[in-house]
Amino acid sequence: MLRFADDIAVLAENENDLQNTLNIMNDTMRDEFKMKINIKKTNILISSRREEERLRTTNIAIDNESLQQVQEYKYLGSLITAEGTSKKEINLIKTYVWSVVLYGSETWTIAKAEENRLLALKHGVGEGCKE
């Protein structure tokens, strides 16, 4: 389980484990804290390298209300996909971040230290930007 403020991501190995975890969470939140899980903001995402797993549909429900299954989900600003990639965000990094960082770079005169810093930035932020 990943938690940040009121955003929670529940990870499970299989559908049964996920359903059991959600039932326990729902019961605890309702009985001990008088809180209710927002069904409209709760989604199911199967993330797998195997396509047949990603395409499988689930039957997960909270208080007899089925949860929507999605192919991608934004969690804390990061887009999580069924394939386990974040290619869309990488394209945003390539489009926006690098264009700002390298603006006017054709006319730069830089020392070795600045070149090393740019290379470190490239490896730290943009290493995953290769397609």
Side-chain angles (χ1 to χ4, degrees), residues 41-60:
K41 290 184 177 182
T42 305
N43 298 115
I44 302 297
L45 172 71
I46 296 176
S47 184
S48 175
R49 293 183 182 181
R50 297 191 336 248
E51 186 175 12
E52 64 272 9
E53 282 293 316
R54 292 191 309 265
L55 297 177
R56 189 173 59 81
T57 57
T58 63
N59 187 22
I60 303 288

PDB file of all heavy atoms in Angstrom, residues 41-60:
ATOM      1  N   LYS A  41     -13.929   8.021  -7.358  1.00  0.00           N
ATOM      2  CA  LYS A  41     -12.501   8.316  -7.491  1.00  0.00           C
ATOM      3  C   LYS A  41     -11.624   7.076  -7.336  1.00  0.00           C
ATOM      4  O   LYS A  41     -10.408   7.174  -7.322  1.00  0.00           O
ATOM      5  CB  LYS A  41     -12.079   9.348  -6.437  1.00  0.00           C
ATOM      6  CG  LYS A  41     -12.633  10.724  -6.672  1.00  0.00           C
ATOM      7  CD  LYS A  41     -12.072  11.671  -5.633  1.00  0.00           C
ATOM      8  CE  LYS A  41     -12.528  13.083  -5.864  1.00  0.00           C
ATOM      9  NZ  LYS A  41     -11.944  14.009  -4.869  1.00  0.00           N
ATOM     10  N   THR A  42     -12.246   5.920  -7.191  1.00  0.00           N
ATOM     11  CA  THR A  42     -11.504   4.683  -6.975  1.00  0.00           C
ATOM     12  C   THR A  42     -11.563   3.839  -8.241  1.00  0.00           C
ATOM     13  O   THR A  42     -12.636   3.544  -8.747  1.00  0.00           O
ATOM     14  CB  THR A  42     -12.106   3.909  -5.784  1.00  0.00           C
ATOM     15  OG1 THR A  42     -12.124   4.766  -4.634  1.00  0.00           O
ATOM     16  CG2 THR A  42     -11.298   2.667  -5.480  1.00  0.00           C
ATOM     17  N   ASN A  43     -10.380   3.491  -8.761  1.00  0.00           N
ATOM     18  CA  ASN A  43     -10.286   2.712  -9.993  1.00  0.00           C
ATOM     19  C   ASN A  43      -9.407   1.492  -9.800  1.00  0.00           C
ATOM     20  O   ASN A  43      -8.590   1.435  -8.886  1.00  0.00           O
ATOM     21  CB  ASN A  43      -9.691   3.554 -11.124  1.00  0.00           C
ATOM     22  CG  ASN A  43     -10.536   4.751 -11.453  1.00  0.00           C
ATOM     23  OD1 ASN A  43     -10.098   5.879 -11.265  1.00  0.00           O
ATOM     24  ND2 ASN A  43     -11.739   4.546 -11.940  1.00  0.00           N
ATOM     25  N   ILE A  44      -9.576   0.539 -10.709  1.00  0.00           N
ATOM     26  CA  ILE A  44      -8.757  -0.667 -10.738  1.00  0.00           C
ATOM     27  C   ILE A  44      -7.861  -0.600 -11.968  1.00  0.00           C
ATOM     28  O   ILE A  44      -8.340  -0.317 -13.071  1.00  0.00           O
ATOM     29  CB  ILE A  44      -9.646  -1.940 -10.829  1.00  0.00           C
ATOM     30  CG1 ILE A  44     -10.612  -2.015  -9.648  1.00  0.00           C
ATOM     31  CG2 ILE A  44      -8.780  -3.192 -10.948  1.00  0.00           C
ATOM     32  CD1 ILE A  44      -9.948  -2.141  -8.305  1.00  0.00           C
ATOM     33  N   LEU A  45      -6.581  -0.847 -11.781  1.00  0.00           N
ATOM     34  CA  LEU A  45      -5.617  -0.890 -12.884  1.00  0.00           C
ATOM     35  C   LEU A  45      -4.803  -2.162 -12.753  1.00  0.00           C
ATOM     36  O   LEU A  45      -4.156  -2.391 -11.736  1.00  0.00           O
ATOM     37  CB  LEU A  45      -4.683   0.324 -12.842  1.00  0.00           C
ATOM     38  CG  LEU A  45      -3.520   0.310 -13.818  1.00  0.00           C
ATOM     39  CD1 LEU A  45      -4.010   0.523 -15.246  1.00  0.00           C
ATOM     40  CD2 LEU A  45      -2.506   1.382 -13.465  1.00  0.00           C
ATOM     41  N   ILE A  46      -4.864  -3.003 -13.775  1.00  0.00           N
ATOM     42  CA  ILE A  46      -4.016  -4.197 -13.809  1.00  0.00           C
ATOM     43  C   ILE A  46      -2.755  -3.805 -14.557  1.00  0.00           C
ATOM     44  O   ILE A  46      -2.811  -3.441 -15.733  1.00  0.00           O
ATOM     45  CB  ILE A  46      -4.708  -5.380 -14.508  1.00  0.00           C
ATOM     46  CG1 ILE A  46      -5.926  -5.814 -13.721  1.00  0.00           C
ATOM     47  CG2 ILE A  46      -3.723  -6.537 -14.680  1.00  0.00           C
ATOM     48  CD1 ILE A  46      -6.724  -6.916 -14.390  1.00  0.00           C
ATOM     49  N   SER A  47      -1.631  -3.869 -13.879  1.00  0.00           N
ATOM     50  CA  SER A  47      -0.354  -3.534 -14.491  1.00  0.00           C
ATOM     51  C   SER A  47       0.465  -4.808 -14.621  1.00  0.00           C
ATOM     52  O   SER A  47       0.753  -5.473 -13.633  1.00  0.00           O
ATOM     53  CB  SER A  47       0.391  -2.503 -13.635  1.00  0.00           C
ATOM     54  OG  SER A  47       1.571  -2.103 -14.266  1.00  0.00           O
ATOM     55  N   SER A  48       0.787  -5.153 -15.870  1.00  0.00           N
ATOM     56  CA  SER A  48       1.505  -6.387 -16.128  1.00  0.00           C
ATOM     57  C   SER A  48       2.275  -6.273 -17.434  1.00  0.00           C
ATOM     58  O   SER A  48       1.884  -5.533 -18.334  1.00  0.00           O
ATOM     59  CB  SER A  48       0.518  -7.557 -16.210  1.00  0.00           C
ATOM     60  OG  SER A  48       1.177  -8.745 -16.573  1.00  0.00           O
ATOM     61  N   ARG A  49       3.338  -7.024 -17.543  1.00  0.00           N
ATOM     62  CA  ARG A  49       4.073  -7.091 -18.809  1.00  0.00           C
ATOM     63  C   ARG A  49       3.354  -7.979 -19.813  1.00  0.00           C
ATOM     64  O   ARG A  49       3.551  -7.858 -21.001  1.00  0.00           O
ATOM     65  CB  ARG A  49       5.488  -7.608 -18.575  1.00  0.00           C
ATOM     66  CG  ARG A  49       6.318  -6.635 -17.782  1.00  0.00           C
ATOM     67  CD  ARG A  49       7.710  -7.123 -17.618  1.00  0.00           C
ATOM     68  NE  ARG A  49       8.446  -6.164 -16.798  1.00  0.00           N
ATOM     69  CZ  ARG A  49       9.690  -6.290 -16.483  1.00  0.00           C
ATOM     70  NH1 ARG A  49      10.377  -7.334 -16.891  1.00  0.00           N
ATOM     71  NH2 ARG A  49      10.283  -5.383 -15.751  1.00  0.00           N
ATOM     72  N   ARG A  50       2.498  -8.866 -19.311  1.00  0.00           N
ATOM     73  CA  ARG A  50       1.782  -9.797 -20.188  1.00  0.00           C
ATOM     74  C   ARG A  50       0.442  -9.183 -20.615  1.00  0.00           C
ATOM     75  O   ARG A  50      -0.388  -8.838 -19.778  1.00  0.00           O
ATOM     76  CB  ARG A  50       1.573 -11.124 -19.481  1.00  0.00           C
ATOM     77  CG  ARG A  50       2.909 -11.803 -19.161  1.00  0.00           C
ATOM     78  CD  ARG A  50       2.786 -13.243 -18.698  1.00  0.00           C
ATOM     79  NE  ARG A  50       1.544 -13.651 -18.122  1.00  0.00           N
ATOM     80  CZ  ARG A  50       1.381 -13.968 -16.844  1.00  0.00           C
ATOM     81  NH1 ARG A  50       2.397 -13.929 -16.013  1.00  0.00           N
ATOM     82  NH2 ARG A  50       0.205 -14.356 -16.397  1.00  0.00           N
ATOM     83  N   GLU A  51       0.248  -9.073 -21.921  1.00  0.00           N
ATOM     84  CA  GLU A  51      -0.952  -8.433 -22.446  1.00  0.00           C
ATOM     85  C   GLU A  51      -2.228  -9.135 -22.014  1.00  0.00           C
ATOM     86  O   GLU A  51      -3.228  -8.475 -21.694  1.00  0.00           O
ATOM     87  CB  GLU A  51      -0.881  -8.355 -23.967  1.00  0.00           C
ATOM     88  CG  GLU A  51      -2.029  -7.576 -24.568  1.00  0.00           C
ATOM     89  CD  GLU A  51      -1.898  -7.382 -26.067  1.00  0.00           C
ATOM     90  OE1 GLU A  51      -1.036  -8.029 -26.691  1.00  0.00           O
ATOM     91  OE2 GLU A  51      -2.672  -6.595 -26.607  1.00  0.00           O
ATOM     92  N   GLU A  52      -2.219 -10.458 -21.956  1.00  0.00           N
ATOM     93  CA  GLU A  52      -3.437 -11.177 -21.572  1.00  0.00           C
ATOM     94  C   GLU A  52      -3.859 -10.829 -20.147  1.00  0.00           C
ATOM     95  O   GLU A  52      -5.050 -10.820 -19.826  1.00  0.00           O
ATOM     96  CB  GLU A  52      -3.284 -12.695 -21.747  1.00  0.00           C
ATOM     97  CG  GLU A  52      -2.237 -13.351 -20.870  1.00  0.00           C
ATOM     98  CD  GLU A  52      -0.829 -13.365 -21.465  1.00  0.00           C
ATOM     99  OE1 GLU A  52      -0.603 -12.726 -22.499  1.00  0.00           O
ATOM    100  OE2 GLU A  52       0.032 -14.022 -20.867  1.00  0.00           O
ATOM    101  N   GLU A  53      -2.909 -10.535 -19.288  1.00  0.00           N
ATOM    102  CA  GLU A  53      -3.239 -10.105 -17.917  1.00  0.00           C
ATOM    103  C   GLU A  53      -3.833  -8.699 -17.918  1.00  0.00           C
ATOM    104  O   GLU A  53      -4.801  -8.428 -17.217  1.00  0.00           O
ATOM    105  CB  GLU A  53      -1.989 -10.135 -17.026  1.00  0.00           C
ATOM    106  CG  GLU A  53      -1.601 -11.506 -16.551  1.00  0.00           C
ATOM    107  CD  GLU A  53      -2.629 -12.077 -15.586  1.00  0.00           C
ATOM    108  OE1 GLU A  53      -3.095 -11.361 -14.686  1.00  0.00           O
ATOM    109  OE2 GLU A  53      -2.965 -13.252 -15.752  1.00  0.00           O
ATOM    110  N   ARG A  54      -3.231  -7.792 -18.698  1.00  0.00           N
ATOM    111  CA  ARG A  54      -3.710  -6.404 -18.751  1.00  0.00           C
ATOM    112  C   ARG A  54      -5.129  -6.318 -19.301  1.00  0.00           C
ATOM    113  O   ARG A  54      -5.897  -5.451 -18.905  1.00  0.00           O
ATOM    114  CB  ARG A  54      -2.783  -5.548 -19.608  1.00  0.00           C
ATOM    115  CG  ARG A  54      -1.416  -5.330 -19.030  1.00  0.00           C
ATOM    116  CD  ARG A  54      -0.655  -4.267 -19.777  1.00  0.00           C
ATOM    117  NE  ARG A  54      -0.606  -4.441 -21.215  1.00  0.00           N
ATOM    118  CZ  ARG A  54       0.398  -5.032 -21.865  1.00  0.00           C
ATOM    119  NH1 ARG A  54       1.426  -5.505 -21.205  1.00  0.00           N
ATOM    120  NH2 ARG A  54       0.368  -5.121 -23.173  1.00  0.00           N
ATOM    121  N   LEU A  55      -5.479  -7.199 -20.218  1.00  0.00           N
ATOM    122  CA  LEU A  55      -6.790  -7.148 -20.867  1.00  0.00           C
ATOM    123  C   LEU A  55      -7.880  -7.882 -20.081  1.00  0.00           C
ATOM    124  O   LEU A  55      -9.059  -7.778 -20.406  1.00  0.00           O
ATOM    125  CB  LEU A  55      -6.687  -7.720 -22.285  1.00  0.00           C
ATOM    126  CG  LEU A  55      -5.773  -6.943 -23.223  1.00  0.00           C
ATOM    127  CD1 LEU A  55      -5.677  -7.637 -24.569  1.00  0.00           C
ATOM    128  CD2 LEU A  55      -6.225  -5.493 -23.379  1.00  0.00           C
ATOM    129  N   ARG A  56      -7.469  -8.591 -19.056  1.00  0.00           N
ATOM    130  CA  ARG A  56      -8.431  -9.329 -18.229  1.00  0.00           C
ATOM    131  C   ARG A  56      -9.297  -8.336 -17.446  1.00  0.00           C
ATOM    132  O   ARG A  56      -8.824  -7.325 -16.959  1.00  0.00           O
ATOM    133  CB  ARG A  56      -7.653 -10.228 -17.267  1.00  0.00           C
ATOM    134  CG  ARG A  56      -8.482 -11.214 -16.501  1.00  0.00           C
ATOM    135  CD  ARG A  56      -7.595 -12.166 -15.725  1.00  0.00           C
ATOM    136  NE  ARG A  56      -6.725 -11.503 -14.784  1.00  0.00           N
ATOM    137  CZ  ARG A  56      -7.109 -11.104 -13.577  1.00  0.00           C
ATOM    138  NH1 ARG A  56      -8.336 -11.275 -13.167  1.00  0.00           N
ATOM    139  NH2 ARG A  56      -6.253 -10.522 -12.766  1.00  0.00           N
ATOM    140  N   THR A  57     -10.581  -8.613 -17.361  1.00  0.00           N
ATOM    141  CA  THR A  57     -11.460  -7.734 -16.590  1.00  0.00           C
ATOM    142  C   THR A  57     -11.616  -8.265 -15.173  1.00  0.00           C
ATOM    143  O   THR A  57     -11.537  -9.469 -14.927  1.00  0.00           O
ATOM    144  CB  THR A  57     -12.851  -7.619 -17.251  1.00  0.00           C
ATOM    145  OG1 THR A  57     -13.404  -8.915 -17.390  1.00  0.00           O
ATOM    146  CG2 THR A  57     -12.756  -6.952 -18.605  1.00  0.00           C
ATOM    147  N   THR A  58     -11.823  -7.354 -14.261  1.00  0.00           N
ATOM    148  CA  THR A  58     -11.968  -7.720 -12.853  1.00  0.00           C
ATOM    149  C   THR A  58     -13.403  -7.492 -12.396  1.00  0.00           C
ATOM    150  O   THR A  58     -14.167  -6.807 -13.058  1.00  0.00           O
ATOM    151  CB  THR A  58     -11.032  -6.873 -11.962  1.00  0.00           C
ATOM    152  OG1 THR A  58     -11.417  -5.501 -12.083  1.00  0.00           O
ATOM    153  CG2 THR A  58      -9.589  -7.056 -12.345  1.00  0.00           C
ATOM    154  N   ASN A  59     -13.699  -8.045 -11.249  1.00  0.00           N
ATOM    155  CA  ASN A  59     -15.013  -7.861 -10.641  1.00  0.00           C
ATOM    156  C   ASN A  59     -14.799  -7.445  -9.188  1.00  0.00           C
ATOM    157  O   ASN A  59     -15.101  -8.191  -8.268  1.00  0.00           O
ATOM    158  CB  ASN A  59     -15.832  -9.152 -10.751  1.00  0.00           C
ATOM    159  CG  ASN A  59     -17.254  -8.955 -10.299  1.00  0.00           C
ATOM    160  OD1 ASN A  59     -17.761  -7.847 -10.292  1.00  0.00           O
ATOM    161  ND2 ASN A  59     -17.893 -10.038  -9.898  1.00  0.00           N
ATOM    162  N   ILE A  60     -14.248  -6.258  -9.014  1.00  0.00           N
ATOM    163  CA  ILE A  60     -13.960  -5.732  -7.681  1.00  0.00           C
ATOM    164  C   ILE A  60     -15.047  -4.728  -7.314  1.00  0.00           C
ATOM    165  O   ILE A  60     -15.421  -3.883  -8.125  1.00  0.00           O
ATOM    166  CB  ILE A  60     -12.579  -5.021  -7.649  1.00  0.00           C
ATOM    167  CG1 ILE A  60     -11.463  -5.958  -8.085  1.00  0.00           C
ATOM    168  CG2 ILE A  60     -12.301  -4.418  -6.278  1.00  0.00           C
ATOM    169  CD1 ILE A  60     -11.112  -7.028  -7.093  1.00  0.00           C
TER     170      ILE A  60
END
